[in-house]
Amino acid sequence: MAVVASSPLAKQATRQSTPSNSDNTDTSIGRSNCKRIPSQEWEKKRPIITRLYQQEKKSLKEVMEILEREHNFTATVKMYKSRILKWGLYKKLKSDQVLTILILKAARDAQDKPCEFTIRGQPVDLDNINRYIRRNPSLIARFLAGEVPNVRTTVEVQCHMPLASAQIAPLTPSDTKLVEEILSLFRKYVESGFAKRIWDFEYNHSCKGCMKGDRIDNLFKRVMTSLALVKRSMMRKDVTSISSILNPTFEYLKEVITSESLIFVARTACLLWYLDCNYKNDLFRIIIDYIAGLVPIILDRENPMVRIWEILSSYQFTEYSKLALWLYSTLIPMMEERIGPANFLTTVLYGDHIDCLLGSGRFDEALACATKYRARIEATGMQHPWLIELATVQTAMLCKAKEAKGKDTDAIGSLKSLNSHDKISKEQQAMSTSNWAQTTATACTTLPPLHGDFRRWRAWR
């Protein structure tokens, strides 16, 4: 007897054969009898899936095939779609997103200011926006009518100044070749370290060395604190012996290098520009030469870090702040892809980059960076304590910028939006916004330094 079309079996068969339900994906790849995959395993594959699906624009079917073929990772279509939804890896634009971009771009164009956009931390191609508008002409009518987009959508869309690497001041001809070699060696070292699993990491959370009881982050903070003490002693002409402060510093550096921690890689740029900015004398060379002499003794001679520090020790760069900015332009994208923008180590790089720009007197670029990094972090949905610090710094910088333009009301609004954050302390929420300038000043002088190293409030004091 034939199955009646209205029977449950027939309906199930119809659903399974419907093309729209397959998403053009070969369901043999993601079989229904797949076992549940732990979240930790998904997070390890997240950078690969994000790159393939969102950045390289591959279909879900292609992503699944690559993950199974090259990474021995098999999951069902439903599992993949659930993760894509959770991670916000959407490909299609929404009308309210495009409307928000039109409104923001019109405002920037009126001020004759360049801009670029991100949606949930991902760069937006303006050619895609133009194609969307051509296919949806009614959107222009909504824009001209002054329609306001959905509030939730406006939070997803971020507008900021372009941060192309071309904005970094050009290097002198003598510096260029060596900087390119250093950048190449850093890329090689980081890629090799992840391939060999030298570092243990959890995507968008932490990244540590495999040595038991990794304390390298704290040791590096002690190094920077010791250097700050030396500067203070020199300025105050204290009787304290400089060597008594530096001797422990050398011991800290020895342990940092021995650990082969990624912290050492991430904070090399910070160490360089900080030393150059504060100690353009013998102390700069003492520290650099000490590290350069220690690295080949502790690490294998073939280790890329040996050659990196050999260059740094033997060659006098014109401006180390420029070298640091080039290092950030290389290291930050690598860490964002490998360990995630909300990872503690990535935010350390974000903070160091902001510090470097502020120390170079480039406030507008520092604010643009802080805004861009905050957008990328918030797009992850993570709520780590260290992320709140960056949000607070970005808000305070934004208030300073609005003060300079006489936009006190906007500044108060920025402070209120920060106070509404779930993780902001009661003390911060209690601060009055009746006099926003006083509030900002109070916030700046009481904020803890990001990651315990520097007080970024120096930029707006």
Side-chain angles (χ1 to χ4, degrees):
M1 180 182 295
V3 179
V4 180
S6 61
S7 70
L9 288 175
K11 289 179 180 178
Q12 182 179 358
T14 303
R15 284 197 301 270
Q16 291 177 342
S17 62
T18 302
S20 60
N21 192 51
S22 65
D23 192 36
N24 295 323
T25 304
D26 183 0
T27 54
S28 64
I29 295 174
R31 294 179 291 276
S32 60
N33 60 354
C34 277
K35 293 182 180 179
R36 181 180 174 277
I37 301 172
S39 294
Q40 189 174 2
E41 289 301 313
W42 278 106
E43 290 298 330
K44 289 180 180 178
K45 298 296 183 291
R46 182 172 178 171
I48 304 167
I49 295 172
T50 300
R51 175 171 54 81
L52 294 173
Y53 186 74
Q54 193 168 58
Q55 297 173 11
E56 298 183 11
K57 309 298 181 185
K58 295 188 182 297
S59 67
L60 182 55
K61 177 181 178 180
E62 291 175 309
V63 173
M64 293 173 70
E65 288 174 344
I66 292 171
L67 265 291
E68 185 171 31
R69 182 177 64 250
E70 299 180 8
H71 301 276
N72 195 29
F73 182 82
T74 304
T76 65
V77 176
K78 185 177 180 181
M79 289 177 181
Y80 269 99
K81 287 185 176 181
S82 175
R83 287 290 157 175
I84 287 171
L85 180 64
K86 182 178 180 180
W87 294 337
L89 303 181
Y90 311 107
K91 287 184 178 179
K92 294 182 179 179
L93 290 166
K94 299 176 183 176
S95 61
D96 272 14
Q97 291 172 346
V98 178
L99 179 59
T100 302
I101 289 174
L102 285 175
I103 294 170
L104 292 173
K105 192 170 190 315
R108 298 288 289 187
D109 288 347
Q111 300 173 25
D112 196 25
K113 291 183 177 180
C115 61
E116 60 182 22
F117 300 92
T118 57
I119 298 177
R120 293 180 298 275
Q122 296 299 319
V124 174
D125 185 348
L126 291 183
D127 288 338
N128 289 341
I129 299 296
N130 290 330
R131 282 194 292 270
Y132 185 94
I133 293 171
R134 285 197 296 269
R135 292 195 302 266
N136 301 272
S138 61
L139 194 65
I140 296 296
R142 292 176 60 193
F143 170 68
L144 295 175
E147 184 174 331
V148 179
N150 181 280
V151 175
R152 184 175 178 180
T153 303
T154 59
V155 174
E156 294 177 345
V157 178
Q158 295 287 334
C159 172
H160 41 75
M161 291 174 58
L163 291 176
S165 58
Q167 284 191 321
I168 302 175
L171 298 161
T172 61
S174 56
D175 288 354
T176 301
K177 187 175 181 180
L178 289 175
V179 169
E180 289 175 352
E181 183 180 358
I182 289 175
L183 297 180
S184 176
L185 288 167
F186 267 114
R187 281 191 290 267
K188 179 181 177 181
Y189 181 68
V190 172
E191 294 294 341
S192 173
F194 279 113
K196 295 176 181 177
R197 298 188 177 180
I198 295 175
W199 307 301
D200 182 26
F201 74 94
E202 182 180 345
Y203 193 82
N204 271 333
H205 189 272
S206 59
C207 182
K208 297 183 178 181
C210 292
M211 293 176 63
K212 208 168 185 180
D214 186 350
R215 62 182 192 130
I216 303 308
D217 181 54
N218 287 329
L219 287 176
F220 200 91
K221 289 176 183 177
R222 293 181 189 180
V223 169
M224 302 308 293
T225 301
S226 297
L227 294 174
L229 286 173
V230 169
K231 181 181 180 182
R232 188 179 69 174
S233 296
M234 293 169 65
M235 290 176 64
R236 294 170 55 177
K237 299 180 180 179
D238 290 342
V239 185
T240 308
S241 171
I242 301 298
S243 61
S244 65
I245 301 175
L246 287 180
N247 286 340
T249 304
F250 293 136
E251 292 302 314
Y252 299 149
L253 285 170
K254 188 183 296 184
E255 187 171 344
V256 168
I257 296 168
T258 304
S259 71
E260 289 195 72
S261 171
L262 198 52
I263 285 285
F264 182 46
V265 176
R267 310 217 67 181
T268 293
C270 166
L271 183 63
L272 288 174
W273 72 256
Y274 182 79
L275 285 171
D276 184 55
C277 179
N278 294 281
Y279 308 102
K280 292 181 181 291
N281 50 33
D282 292 341
L283 184 58
F284 177 92
R285 299 281 9 138
I286 289 172
I287 300 292
I288 298 299
D289 291 345
Y290 175 79
I291 297 175
L294 201 58
V295 168
I297 296 173
I298 296 175
L299 305 179
D300 186 278
R301 288 291 308 181
E302 300 301 317
N303 192 304
M305 292 298 286
V306 174
R307 174 57 182 160
I308 288 172
W309 283 97
E310 181 183 320
I311 295 172
L312 294 174
S313 174
S314 60
Y315 182 77
Q316 181 70 41
F317 287 88
T318 308
E319 287 186 51
Y320 284 87
S321 60
K322 289 182 183 178
L323 172 59
L325 290 174
W326 280 103
L327 285 173
Y328 291 130
S329 72
T330 298
L331 291 173
I332 287 176
M334 289 178 66
M335 296 306 167
E336 286 176 333
E337 180 178 353
R338 283 286 187 174
I339 60 180
N343 192 289
F344 175 78
L345 186 60
T346 307
T347 62
V348 168
L349 275 169
Y350 287 164
D352 286 348
H353 187 197
I354 294 167
D355 262 337
C356 184
L357 289 169
L358 291 176
S360 303
R362 301 161 73 166
F363 180 85
D364 289 343
E365 287 182 63
L367 175 56
C369 275
T371 303
K372 188 170 188 174
Y373 295 152
R374 181 179 178 181
R376 289 176 182 173
I377 287 171
E378 291 183 348
T380 68
M382 297 294 176
Q383 294 287 328
H384 306 310
W386 56 86
L387 305 183
I388 310 305
E389 295 174 2
L390 182 59
T392 307
V393 166
Q394 187 268 345
T395 300
M397 293 174 68
L398 188 60
C399 286
K400 176 180 172 63
K402 290 179 177 179
E403 176 198 20
K405 297 176 182 178
K407 297 182 178 180
D408 294 4
T409 304
D410 290 348
I412 292 174
S414 298
L415 287 171
K416 286 182 177 179
S417 68
L418 180 66
N419 286 345
S420 66
H421 202 294
D422 292 341
K423 300 295 181 180
I424 294 297
S425 68
K426 290 181 180 179
E427 290 77 11
Q428 289 169 315
Q429 291 180 5
M431 289 196 298
S432 169
T433 55
S434 58
N435 184 337
W436 83 265
Q438 179 61 41
T439 301
T440 305
T442 304
C444 293
T445 54
T446 57
L447 279 178
L450 288 192
H451 311 298
D453 296 329
F454 309 103
R455 287 192 177 274
R456 293 190 179 92
W457 53 264
R458 66 169 175 262
W460 57 78
R461 278 191 69 183

